[in-house]
């Protein structure tokens, strides 16, 4: 799956500044996770975007499996 330029730019921005992730990004990030299931940063960003969704527990658990706890904690909690 080739990403369009807009999606590439959005992903680059969100990886550079995870504090910009909002619930509005959850759909896009979920689609990217389906296409690239082994890409750790996507799981972290999706977990952050899904903080107030009903699926939060699943996305957080998956992100924890793909990353270490310290990194997950740094991305999820605001500084």
């Amino acid at each position: 799956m080739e990403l369009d330029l807009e999606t590439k730019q959005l992903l680059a921005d969100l990886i550079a500044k995870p504090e910009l992730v909002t619930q509005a990004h959850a759909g896009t990030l979920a689609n990217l996770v389906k296409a690239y299931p082994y890409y750790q940063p996507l799981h972290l960003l999706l977990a952050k975007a899904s903080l107030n969704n009903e699926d939060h527990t699943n996305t957080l658990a998956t992100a924890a499996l793909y990353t270490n706890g310290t990194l997950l904690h740094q991305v999820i909690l605001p500084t």
Side-chain angles (χ1 to χ4, degrees), residues 31-76:
N31 289 336
L32 288 170
V33 163
K34 287 178 187 174
Y36 304 102
Y38 299 109
Y39 190 55
Q40 293 174 344
L42 287 175
H43 289 284
L44 290 169
L45 296 173
L46 180 59
K48 184 168 178 75
S50 303
L51 282 177
N52 295 322
N53 293 353
E54 66 279 349
D55 195 34
H56 171 65
T57 303
N58 291 337
T59 57
L60 187 60
T62 303
L65 287 172
Y66 280 91
T67 62
N68 65 43
T70 304
L71 182 59
L72 180 61
H73 187 267
Q74 289 173 352
V75 170
I76 296 296

Side-chain angles (χ1 to χ4, degrees), residues 10-35:
L10 174 65
L11 187 55
D13 292 344
L14 294 179
I15 289 172
K17 295 183 180 182
E19 64 272 7
L20 299 177
V21 175
T22 65
Q23 285 183 330
H25 297 114
T28 301
L29 292 169
N31 289 336
L32 288 170
V33 163
K34 287 178 187 174

